Amino acid sequence: MAIPIKIDFVSDISCPWCVIGLRGLEQAIERTGGELSVEIHFQPFELNPTMAKEGENLAEHVARKYGSTPEQSAATREMIRDRAAQVGFAINHGPDSRIYNTFDALRLLHWAGTLGGERQRALKHALFESYFTEQRDPSDRAVLIDAAAEAGLDRDEAAAVLGSDRYSAEVRDAEHLWQRRGVHSVPAIIVDDRYLISGGQPADVFEQALRSIAAEKAPA
């Protein structure tokens, strides 16, 4: 019988290490070959909760937030692109790319989660691809509706969610909950409410951690 594992994946869709970490986690789960029954719940975290609607140039944002020079920023982007490519994901951001407010995207993800874990995961992947690969604006509701449709969700229902204030309170409550639990950077992967794996780790790290946790839970 497969050993049940619950994972809370705390992340933002504008975080490149989050997509790298998710891909690595999914590869690790595949390697367990059905030995584990894993439920992934995507939890909200805003890297830039005060970001204006029009967003900000990515290179300027990184320079302001982290003090990076243009050369350092370019080198970091190249390294991230390489890490993403290693897990089969294309990040096409460059010096003219922008970073945006993601609150509506997180509301939409919460809605998808009410429909089931696989639907939420499909939307998470669609949002990552829309932002990082296609360089679309995740604060634009038309873009979000397209992502919902790409994930197999109902366009009209997605539009209804985005045109209302639905799930705003739930997203904010969840963000505050994880902050109170000590999550201040993402991705943060919490396994069975007990074990924390931080950062965009490779599949080997996730696999080792999951197998170790499963061994503790296995019947004697």
Side-chain angles (χ1 to χ4, degrees):
M1 182 179 295
I3 297 172
I5 298 283
K6 180 174 82 88
I7 294 177
D8 288 296
F9 194 97
V10 188
S11 60
D12 195 354
I13 66 152
S14 62
C15 162
W17 291 110
C18 294
V19 65
I20 291 168
L22 178 59
R23 287 294 187 106
L25 174 63
E26 289 173 333
Q27 289 178 356
I29 293 170
E30 289 177 6
R31 290 180 185 179
T32 66
E35 298 170 31
L36 310 179
S37 176
V38 181
E39 281 188 9
I40 302 177
H41 303 271
F42 292 100
Q43 304 293 351
F45 187 99
E46 290 178 88
L47 287 170
N48 301 286
T50 61
M51 180 65 67
K53 171 67 177 175
E54 67 273 13
E56 184 179 8
N57 175 273
L58 180 60
E60 293 174 3
H61 173 80
V62 170
R64 178 179 56 80
K65 191 170 184 178
Y66 302 107
S68 302
T69 67
E71 293 76 18
Q72 290 170 330
S73 182
T76 299
R77 284 197 305 273
E78 184 64 26
M79 181 266 292
I80 289 173
R81 277 196 296 270
D82 288 344
R83 283 290 309 276
Q86 290 170 19
V87 292
F89 187 81
I91 291 181
N92 293 325
H93 281 184
D96 296 325
S97 297
R98 299 184 72 79
I99 193 163
Y100 299 93
N101 187 288
T102 58
F103 187 72
D104 275 347
L106 296 176
R107 285 201 300 125
L108 203 65
L109 274 167
H110 186 95
W111 163 65
T114 68
L115 304 176
E118 286 306 308
R119 293 193 172 199
Q120 190 183 41
R121 179 149 61 138
L123 179 59
K124 186 75 166 180
H125 280 292
L127 290 168
F128 277 145
E129 184 172 349
S130 176
Y131 176 60
F132 287 110
T133 305
E134 300 171 1
Q135 298 197 69
R136 302 185 74 189
D137 174 1
S139 69
D140 184 324
R141 291 180 177 179
V143 170
L144 295 178
I145 292 168
D146 284 347
E150 180 68 23
L153 301 169
D154 185 86
R155 294 182 69 95
D156 291 340
E157 185 60 22
V161 170
L162 293 169
S164 70
D165 198 39
R166 284 161 61 186
Y167 307 118
S168 292
E170 289 86 345
V171 169
R172 290 192 178 98
D173 287 346
E175 288 180 324
H176 294 154
L177 171 65
W178 292 106
Q179 289 168 8
R180 289 196 302 271
R181 291 182 177 179
V183 174
H184 299 294
S185 63
V186 289
I189 298 92
I190 297 91
V191 185
D192 285 344
D193 298 314
R194 295 179 58 193
Y195 308 95
L196 171 65
I197 306 170
S198 296
Q201 302 293 341
D204 289 348
V205 172
F206 285 119
E207 182 183 5
Q208 182 179 5
L210 292 176
R211 289 189 181 280
S212 177
I213 293 166
E216 292 181 14
K217 299 177 70 172

